[in-house]
Amino acid sequence: MMTDGRVNLGVIADDLTGGAKVASLLESAGVRCPLLTSDAALDSLSGNEQAVVLGRKLLAIPPEEAVADASRSAKSLLANDVRQIYYKYSALFSSTSRGNIGPVAEALMSLTQANSVLFCPARPEHNATVYQGRLFLGRNMLHETPRRYDPVTPMTNSNLVEVLQSQSKVNVGLLPLRVVRGDAEATRRFLDNQIAEDVRFFIVDAIEPADLGHIAKLAHDTPLTSGSDDYPVALAHHWSVRSNNKVGRTFLAPAPGHIVLISGSCTPKSVRQLERFEERYPVFRIDLIQAANDIALADEVEEWAAQRVATTPIGIATSASPDVVRQVQSTLGREGASSLAENILGRIAKKLHGLGVRKFLVAGGETSGEVLNVLGVDRVEVAVHDELLGGYCHKGGDDPIAFVLKAGSTGDEDFYQIALSRLEKADAIGN
């Protein structure tokens, strides 16, 4: 348990890469914010943290499991006297047809005794905006983008009120832009009137960065709010006590050892980034259909890696083109393919650690969570948000490990080369 002070914000992130991004953005704003992967790791807090992120794997698991997991996290945060809980999901509102944003938010609303919840997925500075309840990526609505083809969370409806209502038992409404930007008292009256009509969830319009400030002013003293990456920084401006922390670090502590890329994401961007990596470094590409019947695959990969990893960065990947993904899913099922990929990559990560790998580049939120889990990592320090998009983090102690965790749809094509250079330079500076 924490012994000093009180944490202002406890973030429950639905995947690890998203959680890392929030922690890094807060660190960039001078807010002390570690990334944890388990409730038990809350015991490691010193009392100097102003925020804490719990990176969970809630995105694609069955709703009842996601609700149970998020509820445990919320109870642990509340037991540690956290002032406000923040449920973090993707700016793309990524979810399956069954959830899990609605069911998790309902459970958290009950636990925190909140009378309503605002949903603010917008990231205006990154061209993700919400207007009239519709999510836009640049000029295109969400369903017009490649996200409609996502193998795990295909987003085919841009109307977030409809998407959230389809997952929720409580009534869902809209907090429109004209009200967001209106007089604060009038905005609260609008919400009170909607709540009196039994509306409890509100999709919030936001098309400019200043809109996040209006929303944060409205919600900063509520027990629960929700959204994507940038909104927590806006909330931090309303905390009555701010630390004098300097902006966080660009280079974290050394992690001497070999380097590997583990790619489980199948987004078009991740596939292109992997191809770029493969132009310079060897990659073992795993055929999931074959892997389903090959119990010795992890040993084969270990043997392949042992012959190379001491002299060059290497890659291990289940990432594939949309056509291959569809073929795999038709054979193994969507959830079966995803589960198999995570299981295999997790087992391989453990074997690679045994070969002396201490720098892991990981593509995909679910894959990132699995890798940290099998390596027994429950707390990392996070660098500032920069070209590595918040994914650069470090586990200290007797066996230091560095990670760069990449969400599937993010990063430039040379992302991995930037990551490799950063990790190598961190070792050089530290030594």
Side-chain angles (χ1 to χ4, degrees), residues 336-357:
S338 177
S339 177
L340 177 62
E342 288 177 35
N343 181 270
I344 289 173
L345 294 176
R347 287 190 286 126
I348 290 171
K350 185 74 170 178
K351 289 179 177 292
L352 292 170
H353 182 266
L355 292 175
V357 174

Side-chain angles (χ1 to χ4, degrees), residues 8-81:
N8 285 299
L9 191 68
V11 179
I12 300 173
D14 69 358
D15 74 357
L16 196 65
T17 54
K21 188 176 293 185
V22 170
S24 73
L25 287 166
L26 287 168
E27 288 279 349
S28 297
V31 174
R32 180 84 174 104
C33 182
L35 171 65
L36 313 182
T37 64
S38 74
D39 304 339
L42 287 167
D43 292 337
S44 70
L45 298 184
S46 66
N48 296 319
E49 299 85 357
Q50 289 183 287
V52 61
V53 176
L54 282 171
R56 308 302 300 147
K57 291 177 62 178
L58 308 177
L59 179 61
I61 63 176
E64 59 274 12
E65 295 180 20
V67 166
D69 190 303
S71 296
R72 285 192 297 271
S73 294
K75 290 175 183 177
S76 296
L77 290 168
L78 293 171
N80 279 275
D81 204 23

Side-chain angles (χ1 to χ4, degrees), residues 237-387:
H237 290 297
H238 294 273
W239 296 343
S240 58
V241 178
R242 296 289 304 276
S243 73
N244 294 318
N245 287 347
K246 297 179 180 179
V247 172
R249 295 173 291 168
T250 299
F251 292 97
L252 300 177
H258 308 319
I259 302 176
V260 67
L261 163 64
I262 297 179
S263 183
S265 169
C266 292
T267 65
K269 182 163 285 189
S270 287
V271 170
R272 291 194 301 271
Q273 290 163 335
L274 178 63
E275 291 171 349
R276 189 71 165 265
F277 179 90
E278 196 172 16
E279 291 174 2
R280 301 184 63 174
Y281 308 109
V283 174
F284 191 110
R285 289 181 174 268
I286 296 171
D287 182 327
L288 284 177
I289 294 177
Q290 180 182 351
N293 300 306
D294 186 355
I295 60 174
L297 176 65
D299 294 330
E300 295 171 20
V301 175
E302 181 183 23
E303 182 179 352
W304 177 89
Q307 297 171 5
R308 296 166 174 81
V309 72
T311 58
T312 180
I314 63 171
I316 314 294
T318 57
S319 303
S321 67
D323 288 342
V324 173
V325 169
R326 283 191 287 271
Q327 181 181 1
V328 171
Q329 289 182 340
S330 68
T331 303
L332 303 176
R334 177 174 289 171
E335 293 182 1
S338 177
S339 177
L340 177 62
E342 288 177 35
N343 181 270
I344 289 173
L345 294 176
R347 287 190 286 126
I348 290 171
K350 185 74 170 178
K351 289 179 177 292
L352 292 170
H353 182 266
L355 292 175
V357 174
R358 293 299 183 272
K359 302 177 188 68
F360 290 85
L361 315 182
V362 190
E366 298 295 294
T367 305
S368 296
E370 182 67 17
V371 169
L372 266 69
N373 179 59
V374 299
L375 296 180
V377 177
D378 64 2
R379 172 175 177 148
V380 291
E381 302 303 314
V382 179
V384 296
H385 193 273
D386 55 21
E387 301 98 324

Side-chain angles (χ1 to χ4, degrees), residues 63-278:
E64 59 274 12
E65 295 180 20
V67 166
D69 190 303
S71 296
R72 285 192 297 271
S73 294
K75 290 175 183 177
S76 296
L77 290 168
L78 293 171
N80 279 275
D81 204 23
V82 169
R83 295 178 189 274
Q84 183 179 48
I85 288 178
Y86 185 92
Y87 174 32
K88 192 273 172 193
Y89 38 79
S90 166
L92 305 178
F93 216 69
S94 298
S95 51
T96 68
S97 59
R98 300 173 299 174
N100 292 330
I101 296 176
V104 168
E106 288 174 343
L108 297 181
M109 184 170 65
S110 176
L111 282 171
T112 60
Q113 300 181 3
N115 68 349
S116 63
V117 185
L118 300 185
F119 293 77
C120 180
R123 299 192 71 200
E125 290 186 346
H126 296 81
N127 292 320
T129 59
V130 179
Y131 182 66
Q132 290 297 306
R134 274 73 173 175
L135 178 56
F136 290 80
L137 301 182
R139 295 183 176 183
N140 297 318
M141 285 197 286
L142 179 63
H143 72 276
E144 299 170 337
T145 72
R147 293 298 298 185
R148 66 187 183 274
Y149 301 123
D150 187 275
V152 178
T153 56
M155 302 304 294
T156 58
N157 187 354
S158 302
N159 187 327
L160 300 190
V161 175
E162 293 179 356
V163 172
L164 185 58
Q165 188 64 77
S166 72
Q167 305 174 8
S168 307
K169 297 178 182 177
V170 304
N171 293 325
V172 180
L174 171 68
L175 185 59
L177 190 64
R178 61 175 177 78
V179 179
V180 169
R181 294 179 174 178
D183 175 79
E185 185 175 340
T187 304
R188 292 188 183 278
R189 281 201 305 272
F190 176 91
L191 289 174
D192 289 342
N193 290 337
Q194 291 289 297
I195 292 168
E197 296 179 7
D198 204 28
V199 178
R200 291 291 184 268
F201 286 175
F202 295 88
I203 296 293
V204 185
D205 280 352
I207 63 173
E208 295 180 359
D211 296 328
L212 300 184
H214 295 307
I215 299 162
K217 184 176 181 180
L218 186 67
H220 75 93
D221 59 352
T222 62
L224 172 68
T225 192
S226 76
S228 60
D229 310 87
D230 296 336
Y231 181 25
V233 176
L235 290 168
H237 290 297
H238 294 273
W239 296 343
S240 58
V241 178
R242 296 289 304 276
S243 73
N244 294 318
N245 287 347
K246 297 179 180 179
V247 172
R249 295 173 291 168
T250 299
F251 292 97
L252 300 177
H258 308 319
I259 302 176
V260 67
L261 163 64
I262 297 179
S263 183
S265 169
C266 292
T267 65
K269 182 163 285 189
S270 287
V271 170
R272 291 194 301 271
Q273 290 163 335
L274 178 63
E275 291 171 349
R276 189 71 165 265
F277 179 90
E278 196 172 16

